[in-house]
Each structure stands twice: as C-alpha cells, then as structure tokens.
Amino acid sequence: SVVATYLISMITPIIKDGIMPADRVSIYDVSNKTMDRISKQHEGIQTCTSIPDAISGADLIVMAVKPQNCPTVYDEIRRARELTRDASSGVHLKEDVCLLSVIAGKPISSYMNGTGLKKIARSMPNTPAQIGRGMTVWSCTGAVDADEKRKIKQVLSSFGKEIFVEEEAFIDMSTSLSGSGPAYIFLLMEAMIDAGVHMGFSRDTASTLVHHTLLGSTLYAMETGEHPAVLRNSVTSPAGTTASAIYELENGKFRTVIKDAIWACYRRSLEMGGHDSNVGPGRPNVEPTVGALQESMQDALEVAKQSLPPVKGDTLKEPPCKEMILEDDKTDGGAK
C-alpha cells in the first residue's frame, strides 16, 4: 500500500543516514508482511504486536496511517497511557513524547484531542519522498522545544526537502501545491507521452523525451532562479512553433484550469480537516445571513439619505402645478 511504502521510505534513510540505529526503532503495522519486509531490510529493527508495545519508551512517535484509521490509533495511544499506570503491563508511554504525523487533512487539534498528547508535529510530504526527493511542509505546537524541532527537521529532511511554517494553515495550502502536485505533473506527463505516441514515437522513446524534458526544465529553473515567464519567453520565438503551442494552451485556459484545480484541492483539504472550505476566487469567506443583509441595506439607505441635498423646512413642498412655458413660445404668450 501507499502508506506502507511511505513507512519503508521513511525508515530506510533514518537508519542509513545514522539518524537512529536500527535497534532503537520499533514499528507496528496491521500487515505482518510489511513488518517482515522492513525487518529483513534492516537487521535489528524491532517489530511489535501492538501500538502500545511499539510506542513504549519512545521519544518520537511517527504516525503514518490512512485518515480514516486515525480514531483507532488515537484509542491505542490512550490505551498506552492507561497501561503506563499499571507497572505490570510493561508499557511506558513517556509523558513528554512527541507525535509526528504524515497524514493528509488531519489538523493538529485532532491529534491533541484524540491522543491527549501536547507535543504534536504535523507534516505533509509527497510521493517523491519515496526516492529521497520529497517536499515536506510541517508545523508543530508550541510545546515542541527547539531540540525536538531539530530532530523532526532531521527526520523529514532525510527523505527530501523540508520547510517549517509557523501557521498550520499553510500545511493545507501546501497540500494543494506540493502534496498533490506530483499528480498534476504526472497527468501533464501522461498527456505529452500520449501525444508523442500518437505522432509516431514508441512509448519508451516518448517517455524518455518527456521525462528528461520535465526534469531538465525543473533543474534549469532552479539553477537560474529566473521567473518562469522569462524562461518561457526565451523558448518562444515570434510566429514560431512554440508560440503556436502556447496560443492553444492559453486559448484552452490552461492557466485557469491549473489554478482552479489547486484551489479545489485546497478546499477539499480544508473539508477533510473540518474547516470552512468557502474560500478562493469568487467565494466570499462568510456566507451573508438574512440579518446581515438587512443591516447592510439599512446602512446603504442611511448613506443614501446623507448624500441627498438638505431640505429647507420641516416638510417637503409640493412641486408647482402651473403650465410649463417653453422658451421658444415666450413670444407667443404661452405654450401651444
């Protein structure tokens, strides 16, 4: 499964880079097959039969499960706290243990309320982390001290680039860019490869052309530090082949579709975390209530009244009802 692959990709660099020796790493997974696979790769690693056994004596708990399985894990962590009070259980959950989550959509408050722990770090990695090229954005509670932050940073940077953000809201935003971003790239990749095959290339050749074009373009953008528009213009000659392709992309609202997709992803991330997803272009942050609309109309009426010229006297006077005399008819003595 994807979660199991994440687990393996995280453990391997932690042990390989010497961040933590294998004999100090304990794991638990519902799949014995996954645990057997990891234990064969890393001699000395401890496989456990339950979550309380796995987290007993731990300084850092790494939680990597599907979002719908979180309540079960919460219950097990709470059970570990109860077992700690029983000296005969053999389970000892440290009071100051730190929990690191690599689960999409779950806010820090969910972990705090679910487990009762105070030291929580939430992260959002992406699939390239499986080859050490991941991009992870993370945040944590104020209870996590500087030394613990350093350790978490070390763990997350072992499988790619990491960025710490003070405000948790940026993690939901990053989900739509770096978290789900590889899927957008893979879709673009797939479309380009299919076009190449349609034109006559073999799939292997088309794949090589597209893979290295995307890889080279990304590295080039990173190394030059230029704005993407500048780089795009350097490839686009007037009335040339690239200009024709760009015209079709712009005519098909390529930019708008990409931006709308990113906003849709962000909104879904907010929904999964139980937050208001009514954000983004064309969506007011707060739905107006009937009372708010009435108050707004009343305010507008007051402004309109104030903008009228002052009226002399206590009451409005009736306009004169005499006949109108046209300028051109004054010589004739009146209106025709």
Side-chain angles (χ1 to χ4, degrees):
S1 68
V2 174
V3 174
T5 305
Y6 264 129
L7 182 62
I8 295 170
S9 65
M10 287 181 67
I11 291 174
T12 299
I14 289 174
I15 296 174
K16 185 179 179 181
D17 296 347
I19 298 173
M20 188 69 66
D23 59 3
R24 292 194 60 193
V25 176
S26 299
I27 62 169
Y28 171 76
D29 192 273
V30 292
S31 170
N32 289 326
K33 185 178 179 180
T34 298
M35 290 196 291
D36 290 341
R37 180 181 169 189
I38 296 174
S39 62
K40 288 178 181 178
Q41 289 182 358
H42 305 288
E43 186 178 353
I45 201 168
Q46 302 174 50
T47 57
C48 302
T49 57
S50 69
I51 291 176
D53 288 338
I55 64 178
S56 180
D59 295 312
L60 176 66
I61 301 172
V62 179
M63 186 172 166
V65 298
K66 293 179 180 179
Q68 60 267 30
N69 294 332
C70 282
T72 300
V73 179
Y74 294 163
D75 290 343
E76 288 295 291
I77 292 176
R78 285 191 174 275
R79 188 164 73 89
R81 297 183 71 182
E82 293 174 2
L83 290 172
T84 300
R85 301 187 184 99
D86 181 3
S88 63
S89 68
V91 173
H92 175 65
L93 181 64
K94 292 185 177 180
E95 195 65 33
D96 62 345
V97 66
C98 187
L99 174 67
L100 169 61
S101 158
V102 287
I103 303 167
K106 287 290 183 181
I108 287 177
S109 60
S110 173
Y111 302 104
M112 295 183 70
N113 295 333
T115 66
L117 301 178
K118 297 179 180 179
K119 296 185 176 183
I120 308 291
R122 177 189 170 194
S123 68
M124 184 64 237
N126 59 14
T127 50
Q130 298 175 36
I131 61 168
R133 294 288 183 178
M135 178 67 251
T136 304
V137 179
W138 65 287
S139 187
C140 64
T141 59
V144 180
D145 61 36
D147 186 54
E148 289 165 332
K149 284 183 180 179
R150 181 187 60 78
K151 289 179 181 177
I152 293 170
K153 179 183 177 74
Q154 196 175 22
V155 169
L156 296 177
S157 62
S158 69
F159 49 90
K161 176 75 174 175
E162 57 78 33
I163 291 181
F164 174 76
V165 291
E166 291 286 351
E167 296 182 35
E168 186 186 3
F170 286 107
I171 297 184
D172 288 313
M173 296 179 195
S174 71
T175 299
S176 64
L177 286 175
S178 56
S180 298
Y184 319 151
I185 303 301
F186 296 148
L187 182 59
L188 173 63
M189 186 185 296
E190 180 184 357
M192 292 177 68
I193 291 172
D194 286 348
V197 172
H198 191 205
M199 286 187 290
F201 285 110
S202 69
R203 185 160 293 276
D204 285 345
T205 299
S207 296
T208 300
L209 290 173
V210 173
H211 290 167
H212 285 271
T213 297
L214 293 175
L215 176 63
S217 298
T218 300
L219 294 174
Y220 182 53
M222 292 172 67
E223 187 170 325
T224 61
E226 290 281 6
H227 191 284
V230 174
L231 299 177
R232 175 177 55 79
N233 286 332
S234 69
V235 186
T236 310
S237 302
T241 56
T242 306
S244 296
I246 295 297
Y247 172 81
E248 292 296 336
L249 290 172
E250 296 285 17
N251 200 41
K253 297 183 178 180
F254 181 75
R255 294 172 187 263
T256 303
V257 170
I258 294 296
K259 289 186 283 188
D260 285 349
I262 291 172
W263 274 105
C265 182
Y266 174 42
R267 293 184 188 111
R268 182 56 185 147
S269 179
L270 291 173
E271 290 169 358
M272 290 174 66
H275 298 299
D276 179 22
S277 62
N278 193 31
V279 297
R283 297 196 180 194
N285 288 330
V286 180
E287 286 286 349
T289 62
V290 174
L293 287 173
Q294 291 176 337
E295 185 177 347
S296 177
M297 292 175 64
Q298 186 64 35
D299 291 343
L301 184 60
E302 291 297 327
V303 171
K305 287 181 178 179
Q306 293 175 10
S307 64
L308 292 173
V311 179
K312 295 181 179 179
D314 296 332
T315 58
L316 290 173
K317 296 181 179 180
E318 290 291 329
C321 297
K322 297 179 180 179
E323 291 183 343
M324 294 179 63
I325 300 176
L326 303 178
E327 291 292 331
D328 293 340
D329 298 329
K330 286 181 179 179
T331 55
D332 298 335
K336 294 181 180 179

